[in-house]
Amino acid sequence: GSQSNGLSSRILSTGATNNSQAVNFIPVGASRQVAAGSTTKWYIAARFKITTTGHDGQTALFIGIANAQATGSYAFFGITSTTTTKYTAEVGGSNDIQKDSTITMDTNWHIGELWCDGTTQYFSIDDETPVSLGGTLGAPTADMGRCLHVYNGTTAANRAFEIDWMLICSSPP
């Protein structure tokens, strides 16, 4: 069976205090999750925009899936602290892999997609050629739930993004 998760009109913001974060997480065990993230087919799409500028090496804004109980089991796209000009995606677990998109960060609306064909994870921003992330997510049996996360590190400046909608399919065709 297939499950989908709709999310609409969500703004996450850190505020201007350093080492602040905002997290919106549906934990594993809830009705909305992806089972065994590295060994099943799944698909995530979201329409989002970054609403703040001036991102630096302390900024992280993630849209994806994660399992807080299985260390390192996650897959997301957005902005990481290692890139300040392009959108990026990362899968984590026994072998963390991060790849950059060809799309430059800005404050416009974008469609991000992240999926697994049962073996390999891919991502694309605004219909660019899919980027293979390869690798595997944490423990192959780790279930994952929706995770939206924004963090500003030691920079005392607001970091924020807005999600218009998000879709998670646990068994796409």
Side-chain angles (χ1 to χ4, degrees):
S2 165
Q3 293 183 51
S4 66
N5 170 29
L7 170 76
S8 63
S9 299
R10 177 87 50 191
I11 297 174
L12 288 174
S13 175
T14 63
T17 305
N18 66 324
N19 292 315
S20 295
Q21 62 183 331
V23 179
N24 180 286
F25 185 67
I26 293 180
V28 170
S31 62
R32 298 174 183 102
Q33 67 182 19
V34 172
S38 64
T39 59
T40 60
K41 293 181 179 182
W42 48 264
Y43 173 83
I44 300 168
R47 183 172 184 255
F48 70 99
K49 72 176 180 176
I50 307 304
T51 57
T52 53
T53 59
H55 301 287
D56 59 18
Q58 296 294 312
T59 303
L61 298 102
F62 308 144
I63 301 167
I65 53 177
N67 183 323
Q69 305 306 314
T71 304
S73 289
Y74 61 85
F76 63 77
F77 60 87
I79 298 174
T80 65
S81 59
T82 59
T83 181
T84 57
T85 59
K86 303 283 184 185
Y87 291 105
T88 192
E90 184 171 329
V91 294
S94 56
N95 185 20
D96 293 352
I97 297 172
Q98 182 178 344
K99 301 263 179 99
D100 287 343
S101 167
T102 61
I103 307 300
T104 301
M105 289 187 300
D106 58 30
T107 56
N108 297 321
W109 286 101
H110 297 279
I111 304 285
E113 298 173 282
L114 181 65
W115 67 95
C116 180
D117 64 7
T119 305
T120 303
Q121 294 80 40
Y122 301 89
F123 88 107
S124 176
I125 305 292
D126 295 336
D127 290 326
E128 70 182 321
T129 300
V131 176
S132 171
L133 294 165
T136 59
L137 304 175
T141 58
D143 295 341
M144 292 178 282
R146 181 187 77 212
C147 184
L148 310 175
H149 186 197
V150 59
Y151 177 71
N152 68 356
T154 58
T155 302
N158 186 46
R159 301 294 184 235
F161 68 95
E162 183 174 352
I163 305 260
D164 182 36
W165 54 261
M166 182 177 186
L167 172 71
I168 300 175
C169 295
S170 61
S171 305

